[in-house]
Amino acid sequence: MTDGRITTAKLGDDGPEVGVQGLGCMGMSFGYGPSDADASRATLERALELGVTLYDTADAYGAGENERFLAPFFKAHRDEVVIATKFSLSIPPDDPTRRVIRNDPPYIRQAVEASLKRLDVDVIDLYYMHRRDVNVPIEETVGTMADLVREGKVKHLGLSEVTADELRAAHTVHPIAAVQSEWSLFSRDIEPKVVPAARDLGVALVPYSPLGRGFLTGSFANADQDLTPDDFRRQQPRFTGENATRNAALLELIRSVADAHGASVGQIALAWVQQQASVHDLPVIPIPGTRKPSRVEENAAATRIVLTDEQLDLLDGIAAQVAGNRYADMAFTSAGRE
């Protein structure tokens, strides 16, 4: 790895080989305030140079705008990248600020055709169910997704924010390559049940927000004070008010480990997530999001940091001290249904 490229890992028993760290692309056009398109394009290119090959988006990010933004990059590097996108969060025509969870077969077919068109590709490499509609049997949802594989529109299937039982039920219908859930030093609710189920089934874990949506890098300390009004992190309980003050203090423990490695706080947070692959004995491919080439370089370098057992023990208790939930409404997360 003298050229700085990251190593690779298999995306589940039946999935493709990808860089051991992916790239979350949502913030390039949605969610985190103003974005510089040129800087985001440079970030995509730099990530690929460093061996990042899994690029994550969704049809709900900017009402399809994120998929459209990524399309030229994917077209230029189609044989080098693994494209992951998602369906489920339908936007009502009369209220573009709302999201309605839909897993019904007609909607899935409508969604995949729209994503294929926006992405300007013939096939999606990894297609996720973004959120679970409990009113639709998961076997029915995954059955329709499996049909898309047989029809050549999708190569591999993924699920996001599912419980262990939901994952097992889905896997009986069609092999699941990856489960995407929030997993970080601040968010560890998937470890008791979802992670063991994924390991038993040969499914990879794809942690989103492994840097706590930037909070674990120290880039902001209080969403109300530090972020623009259109930044959706202002709606998340752990980043505002007294919760933010309490949680910012937890970074000092991470900083002590960072100093020992000559690393940034964010790099230690990422290294911890990466190291869960060996702790739990399954593929773990986090998808930190960034819009800056310098950040993607920093993130990639974190894959080469190995924390000692003593350091892992030191960091182990942080999540239990975090104040506030990761969402105001946890009902649509796996933790809300376990």
Side-chain angles (χ1 to χ4, degrees):
M1 295 213 316
T2 56
D3 63 353
R5 289 177 63 85
I6 62 175
T7 58
T8 62
K10 200 166 172 53
L11 201 61
D13 285 350
D14 300 308
E17 193 87 7
V18 296
V20 75
Q21 183 181 108
L23 181 64
C25 301
M26 181 185 79
M28 293 180 178
S29 52
F30 172 77
Y32 292 162
S35 179
D36 183 322
D38 289 338
S40 292
R41 292 186 191 99
T43 300
L44 294 167
E45 295 288 351
R46 184 63 180 134
L48 189 58
E49 291 173 354
L50 291 169
V52 174
T53 55
L54 177 63
Y55 293 81
D56 185 87
T57 182
D59 60 2
Y61 298 162
E65 189 55 40
N66 197 239
E67 290 179 326
R68 293 188 192 94
F69 174 78
L70 294 168
F73 171 75
F74 291 154
K75 187 171 185 176
H77 302 285
R78 188 64 189 96
D79 295 337
E80 304 169 81
V81 300
V82 173
I83 301 171
T85 193
K86 316 177 195 74
F87 72 89
S88 282
L89 302 183
S90 173
I91 304 172
D94 59 340
D95 187 356
T97 64
R98 287 182 61 223
R99 299 291 186 273
V100 177
I101 300 175
R102 291 187 60 181
N103 291 174
D104 55 285
Y107 179 75
I108 296 171
R109 290 197 164 275
Q110 172 189 328
V112 74
E113 295 297 342
S115 284
L116 286 166
K117 184 176 181 180
R118 285 189 295 263
L119 291 165
D120 193 21
V121 295
D122 296 324
V123 60
I124 294 166
D125 300 312
L126 177 60
Y127 200 43
Y128 286 102
M129 181 191 76
H130 203 163
R131 290 293 185 270
R132 170 93 166 93
D133 178 357
V134 296
N135 297 310
V136 179
I138 197 161
E139 294 87 351
E140 183 177 339
T141 299
V142 177
T144 301
M145 295 169 71
D147 288 341
L148 301 181
V149 176
R150 286 186 282 271
E151 293 164 15
K153 295 176 181 179
V154 169
K155 289 184 180 179
H156 305 283
L157 303 185
L159 304 171
S160 180
E161 291 286 0
V162 291
T163 67
D165 287 345
E166 289 165 351
L167 173 59
R168 291 191 182 95
H171 203 73
T172 64
V173 178
H174 189 279
I176 303 300
V179 165
Q180 186 174 134
S181 287
E182 187 164 353
W183 197 8
S184 73
L185 281 169
F186 271 22
S187 300
R188 300 180 58 181
D189 49 63
I190 64 170
E191 290 179 31
K193 295 182 179 180
V194 177
V195 171
R199 181 184 60 237
D200 293 346
L201 296 171
V203 177
L205 248 297
V206 178
Y208 72 83
S209 299
L211 292 171
R213 301 192 184 279
F215 195 87
L216 285 166
T217 69
S219 61
F220 73 100
N222 187 301
D224 288 333
Q225 299 169 10
D226 302 334
L227 303 178
T228 57
D230 58 343
D231 195 309
F232 93 107
R233 288 172 288 185
R234 291 166 64 107
Q235 304 168 23
Q236 295 182 296
R238 60 179 48 166
F239 302 142
T240 58
E242 181 59 29
N243 287 347
T245 302
R246 290 174 58 185
N247 293 336
L250 298 175
L251 299 189
E252 291 306 311
L253 189 60
I254 308 172
R255 190 167 284 112
S256 68
V257 177
D259 290 343
H261 284 271
S264 69
V265 173
Q267 284 179 313
I268 296 304
L270 260 182
W272 181 89
V273 177
Q274 300 276 178
Q275 209 156 325
Q276 298 312 298
S278 57
V279 171
H280 294 279
D281 190 28
L282 82 169
V284 176
I285 301 155
I287 48 170
T290 185
R291 301 176 287 194
K292 298 177 180 178
S294 60
R295 280 290 193 192
V296 86
E297 291 168 359
E298 179 181 328
N299 293 347
T303 66
R304 296 186 282 279
I305 296 173
V306 179
L307 304 175
T308 66
D309 290 342
E310 292 76 15
Q311 289 167 340
L312 289 172
D313 289 342
L314 188 65
L315 298 170
D316 190 59
I318 289 177
Q321 301 177 62
V322 173
N325 285 326
R326 49 194 179 99
Y327 292 104
D329 181 1
M330 291 287 286
F332 59 87
T333 68
S334 59
R337 296 192 305 280
E338 283 286 10

